[in-house]
Amino acid sequence: MSQNNYPKLHNATWPGIVGKGPDSEPIISFEDMLQYTAAAEVNGVKFDGIDIGLFDPHIDLDMSDDGIKRLAEKVQKLNLNIGSLVAPIWGGPAMGSKEDRALFVEMVRKSCVFGQKLKDLGVRPYGIVRIDSASSVENWAKDPINNTKLIAQTFREACDVAADFGEKLAAEGEICWGGMHSWRAMVDTLDQTNRPNIGFQADMSHTFLYMLGYNSPDDRILPKNFDWNDRETLDEAFKKLTKALRPWTIDFHVAQNDGTVFGSGSHDKTGRHCLANDPNGKLDIARDAGHWLRNADGELTKAFQHICWDGCMFPNAVMGKQQTWNDILAKMIEVRNAHGWVG
């Protein structure tokens, strides 16, 4: 077995919330997500940490310093770190009113304050603050040029705030967010933001849909009626996608996708996260992760110190089985064996 110890392997806790709620299944508590992560083990290897969403009911963004200390101690006692944080920016669309945009920036500021306190407590040695445009594709499409300018302006203001805390912001490429819904739109938004502390969060499931042109048919990379057994064409599509976005990529989610979109609860339709061993999964996870983790010459980029599994909108019955998390960890280990390093 490989002796690589980087990148560190994290699990996300927000799948206990995303897609859950009144019109779906009950939310899975932060404590349960933490325990599933800590208990996972494959041949003596365990998860190194968690990435967390800074939103209710898991985390109170305004919790006291004592509350943050208790959170850090709870995670540390399980021999885990905290990595990337998700800022709760959805109440203030990045291309919304002046007040909306001010709220967006304030949520980023609060998230950076929270992250700084975790750093000071020694539980967060790496990671970014995740954002999106919090704006629908439908509204963005009413005035693409000016709406992208507005999103970029808001992102710049957020970046300037984050810089005061030494934080980097990462925009996650999901097709449900305006100005980020295709690979070309994402690059355009990042280019226009033009700040050294912004980058891209590549999720293997969400970015896969970029190649299929969901919400932006003109930006489709794979041909229509694509034969999923045609690995050569799929690899060429990955090369085109990652050539455009890899230079921006500062955070990475390992995931599986079956080539379809899905949404549940209050979460709009986006990439369908599948189980690590889903027979309908279209990704060879360990192999395809290499398109993001290695450059065009096949050399490791080492652009981030940890990678995270993201598997939102699985049924609670599935998420309540420890074997689910062991299988996920096994796939994460495969990725690190193939594309990791000793640090």
Side-chain angles (χ1 to χ4, degrees):
M1 176 176 283
S2 169
Q3 297 301 307
N4 293 336
N5 61 348
Y6 279 90
K8 298 300 182 182
L9 308 180
H10 281 219
N11 191 24
T13 59
W14 57 79
I17 299 177
V18 176
K20 310 298 180 183
D23 52 350
S24 183
E25 294 187 299
I27 284 167
I28 299 174
S29 72
F30 179 83
E31 285 69 24
D32 283 350
M33 294 298 298
L34 192 59
Q35 290 300 326
Y36 293 140
T37 303
E41 184 170 352
V42 177
N43 297 324
V45 179
K46 299 175 73 69
F47 278 109
D48 299 298
I50 55 170
D51 286 5
I52 64 176
L54 299 180
F55 41 85
D56 293 330
H58 275 190
I59 302 291
D60 176 6
L61 184 58
D62 296 314
M63 76 168 60
S64 66
D65 287 355
D66 284 344
I68 295 176
K69 185 178 180 181
R70 286 193 295 271
L71 168 66
E73 289 173 347
K74 183 188 300 183
V75 174
Q76 288 169 321
K77 282 180 181 177
L78 294 171
N79 295 313
L80 297 171
N81 281 321
I82 294 174
S84 296
L85 313 174
V86 179
I89 38 72
W90 306 286
M95 62 179 211
S97 67
K98 181 179 179 181
E99 292 74 21
D100 287 336
R101 291 181 281 116
L103 179 59
F104 184 105
V105 175
E106 175 62 8
M107 289 300 102
V108 170
R109 186 193 68 80
K110 283 189 173 185
S111 299
C112 290
V113 169
F114 200 105
Q116 182 63 57
K117 291 175 181 177
L118 293 174
K119 287 179 183 177
D120 292 343
L121 291 165
V123 74
R124 186 172 172 250
Y126 42 67
I128 52 82
V129 174
R130 181 262 187 213
I131 60 171
D132 57 60
S133 68
S135 307
S136 73
V137 180
E138 182 181 10
N139 285 335
W140 173 87
K142 294 173 182 176
D143 189 357
I145 292 175
N146 287 316
N147 282 333
T148 296
K149 287 181 179 178
L150 205 52
I151 292 168
Q153 178 185 331
T154 307
F155 281 9
R156 281 195 298 274
E157 293 174 15
C159 284
D160 292 344
V161 167
D164 291 338
F165 298 90
E167 291 284 357
K168 292 184 176 181
L169 305 182
E172 184 176 11
E174 291 193 61
I175 61 169
C176 59
W177 302 121
M180 306 173 58
H181 56 285
S182 80
W183 62 274
R184 280 201 180 97
M186 187 73 259
V187 171
D188 186 25
T189 297
L190 291 168
D191 277 338
Q192 289 195 43
T193 302
N194 191 28
R195 286 291 187 272
N197 63 325
I198 195 167
F200 181 66
Q201 184 185 75
D203 178 295
M204 292 181 69
S205 176
H206 297 317
T207 54
F208 190 56
L209 298 186
Y210 278 171
M211 298 194 295
L212 295 172
Y214 279 101
N215 283 341
S216 187
D218 290 345
D219 293 332
R220 185 184 181 108
I221 299 175
L222 285 168
K224 292 181 179 180
N225 302 315
F226 171 69
D227 178 358
W228 291 107
N229 294 314
D230 183 357
R231 273 302 317 194
E232 183 178 355
T233 299
L234 184 57
D235 281 340
E236 287 304 309
F238 263 118
K239 288 176 183 177
K240 182 172 182 176
L241 176 71
T242 54
K243 181 180 180 180
L245 285 166
R246 190 193 305 112
W248 288 102
T249 301
I250 60 174
D251 203 63
F252 187 65
H253 286 173
V254 180
Q256 180 59 284
N257 186 281
D258 64 3
T260 66
V261 296
F262 177 67
S264 67
S266 60
H267 201 72
D268 197 5
K269 291 205 166 29
T270 186
R272 180 190 286 270
H273 283 118
C274 297
L275 290 171
N277 52 3
D278 192 312
N280 295 317
K282 299 297 189 288
L283 295 166
D284 181 334
I285 294 176
R287 172 177 172 167
D288 294 335
H291 288 290
W292 294 101
L293 301 177
R294 296 178 179 273
N295 64 21
D297 296 323
E299 300 163 335
L300 292 173
T301 66
K302 300 183 181 180
F304 27 83
Q305 291 183 271
H306 84 290
I307 57 178
C308 181
W309 171 268
D310 191 351
C312 292
M313 295 180 278
F314 293 155
N316 285 6
V318 171
M319 294 178 69
K321 295 178 181 176
Q322 188 60 50
Q323 188 60 45
T324 296
W325 305 103
N326 292 354
D327 292 342
I328 287 166
L329 176 58
K331 192 59 64 174
M332 297 286 285
I333 294 169
E334 279 186 40
V335 172
R336 182 164 69 183
N337 287 347
H339 310 295
W341 65 94
V342 176

